[in-house]
Amino acid sequence: MSEEKKGVVLTAEEKRRQRARSVAIAWALAALCVLFFVVTIAKLGPGVMNRPL
Amino acid sequence: MTLATDGMTNDSAATGAFAGVSGGEVRDYVALLKPRVMSLVVFTALVGMVVAPGTVHPVIAFASLLAIAVGAGASGCLNMWWDADIDAVMTRTRARPIPAGRVPAGEALTFGLVLSALSVFVLGVVANWFAAGFLAFTIFFYAVVYSMWLKRWTAQNIVIGGAAGAFPPMIGEAVVTGTVGWPTFALFAIIFLWTPPHFWALALLKSGDYARAGVPMLPNVAGPDATRRQILLYTLILAPAALAPVALGTGGLAYLLVAVITGAAMVILAFNVHRHREGEAAARAAQQLFAFSILYLFLLFATLLAEHAFGLYAAVPGIGR
């Protein structure tokens, strides 16, 4: 039963690959944020930043 | 942990042959997107954008190309998921991430579906929803109509399925204008007519592979001689069809020159394939046509790109814009 509680145990190599995949996903999400920001500026123009608070 | 059998219906997955914990490297997931096909799609979509009647902000063009590239990659990923059993028995494809056991099939399916939805959404938001709908249709056409339906059913699989690879220039125009017109329809026709001689030349070389996998490619169904005749017929239609952009005023003098010279070369190579039917000479002829067909399509589209993006367009007398 204690074996079952441990679940899937990753080897060191599997952990390294999992981390590499996570980092890649993080970079992709960051790139998507930058892309949406730049596209917003391109579509609306820089004037969108110039407004009273 | 995801099991490979999630949502799967084809044989390899049903038996759980590729099940397991995700252990893929990042490059395996990149390989699932078929980067070489992606680059061709990006290139032809870019040409579709530059020949379109209108202009688009460079940032919007870049973001749209990115979305189209990811959409193409997603459809390639779904194709690899569905065809994992075929890929496993073909020498050309057995090292792909799913048959090699580096990526569980279920994960590839999820990856492909998520990227499909993301690419269509991004293109809709960034460009317009007509272009996004066209991209969604293209993904559907490649992943479902070609991969799931046509590929294992008919020897005309790559003829009809070739449309999926021919749509990107039209999507490129849709990004710019919100609609599609004759200039990019001509580009669609060129890629559509180019696909059969290109893939059948490869199929002649790899007919043993396709036979082992049970894929009804033309050489296995109708025989190599009938395939050679079809290659010649399609090439004889393709070479003059490649002049359509000139007639429409999309292609200028440089394009006319390139299309005539390379078109003639394609016809000569197709005649060679038709003539040499035995042994080393036959294999060499098919190999030469396959290799040159890639260069042919690249040169046609690169010339259009140079004419429109770098100001090299010189109208053909009596036809120009």
Side-chain angles (χ1 to χ4, degrees), chain A residues 8 16-17 20-21 38-39 43, chain B residues 22-26 29 59 126:
Chain A
V8 177
R16 186 192 66 76
R17 291 180 180 189
R21 291 197 301 272
V38 176
V39 165
K43 281 177 96 82
Chain B
S22 173
E25 299 267 11
V26 172
Y29 291 84
V59 169
V126 166

Side-chain angles (χ1 to χ4, degrees), chain B residues 205-279:
Chain B
L205 295 165
K206 300 280 182 184
S207 59
D209 252 6
Y210 286 113
R212 234 184 347 271
V215 178
M217 291 299 279
L218 199 61
N220 306 102
V221 175
D225 287 351
T227 306
R228 291 187 173 93
R229 200 163 47 245
Q230 292 288 318
I231 285 175
L232 182 58
L233 274 173
Y234 270 94
T235 309
L236 288 173
I237 300 169
L238 168 65
L243 300 176
V246 179
L248 292 165
T250 313
L253 266 175
Y255 178 84
L256 176 64
L257 204 66
V258 169
V260 167
I261 294 170
T262 55
M266 276 291 285
V267 170
I268 290 168
L269 291 171
F271 264 113
N272 272 343
V273 170
H274 190 256
R275 198 159 51 107
H276 300 295
R277 301 182 174 206
E278 298 285 335

Side-chain angles (χ1 to χ4, degrees), chain A residues 8, chain B residues 1-3 6 20-22 107:
Chain A
V8 177
Chain B
M1 178 174 132
T2 309
L3 288 179
D6 290 351
V21 181
S22 173
E107 258 190 37

Side-chain angles (χ1 to χ4, degrees), chain B:
Chain B
M1 178 174 132
T2 309
L3 288 179
T5 47
D6 290 351
M8 295 284 291
T9 52
N10 57 349
D11 293 342
S12 58
T15 55
F18 310 118
V21 181
S22 173
E25 299 267 11
V26 172
R27 65 168 174 265
D28 291 322
Y29 291 84
V30 174
L32 283 175
L33 304 180
K34 298 191 178 180
R36 277 191 296 183
V37 176
M38 273 171 88
S39 62
L40 183 68
V41 167
V42 168
F43 181 54
T44 56
L46 173 65
V47 175
M49 279 183 187
V50 298
V51 304
T55 54
V56 65
H57 193 290
V59 169
I60 304 298
F62 173 78
S64 300
L65 280 176
L66 200 63
I68 293 168
V70 172
S75 64
C77 180
L78 293 173
N79 166 270
M80 281 205 210
W81 161 72
W82 183 257
D83 280 345
D85 57 334
I86 292 178
D87 288 347
V89 294
M90 289 179 54
T91 52
R92 189 172 65 87
T93 54
R94 65 184 170 208
R96 285 178 173 175
I98 304 173
R102 297 193 301 275
V103 174
E107 258 190 37
L109 172 63
T110 308
F111 190 49
L113 289 175
V114 168
L115 290 186
S116 296
L118 189 70
S119 63
V120 170
F121 171 75
V122 169
L123 191 61
V125 169
V126 166
N128 59 71
W129 289 100
F130 177 74
F134 207 155
L135 179 64
F137 175 71
T138 304
I139 295 169
F140 170 80
F141 198 90
Y142 186 67
V144 177
V145 177
Y146 168 70
S147 301
M148 296 183 185
W149 179 39
L150 294 170
K151 186 171 177 178
R152 300 175 196 228
W153 174 57
T154 169
Q156 295 300 310
N157 47 16
I158 52 109
V159 177
I160 309 165
F167 285 138
M170 299 179 84
I171 302 174
E173 181 179 6
V175 165
V176 178
T177 65
T179 183
V180 288
W182 289 111
T184 53
F185 181 76
L187 302 185
F188 164 86
I190 291 170
I191 303 174
F192 185 76
L193 291 168
W194 167 89
T195 306
H198 170 74
F199 275 106
W200 284 336
L202 177 70
L204 280 174
L205 295 165
K206 300 280 182 184
S207 59
D209 252 6
Y210 286 113
R212 234 184 347 271
V215 178
M217 291 299 279
L218 199 61
N220 306 102
V221 175
D225 287 351
T227 306
R228 291 187 173 93
R229 200 163 47 245
Q230 292 288 318
I231 285 175
L232 182 58
L233 274 173
Y234 270 94
T235 309
L236 288 173
I237 300 169
L238 168 65
L243 300 176
V246 179
L248 292 165
T250 313
L253 266 175
Y255 178 84
L256 176 64
L257 204 66
V258 169
V260 167
I261 294 170
T262 55
M266 276 291 285
V267 170
I268 290 168
L269 291 171
F271 264 113
N272 272 343
V273 170
H274 190 256
R275 198 159 51 107
H276 300 295
R277 301 182 174 206
E278 298 285 335
E280 186 62 32
R284 196 168 49 244
Q287 176 65 49
Q288 283 173 344
L289 178 65
F290 175 73
F292 185 77
S293 64
I294 298 169
L295 181 67
Y296 173 68
L297 195 68
F298 173 76
L299 285 176
L300 291 182
F301 278 74
T303 309
L304 283 176
L305 184 65
E307 284 187 332
H308 288 265
F310 305 113
L312 299 178
Y313 183 90
V316 178
I319 296 178
R321 295 176 295 184

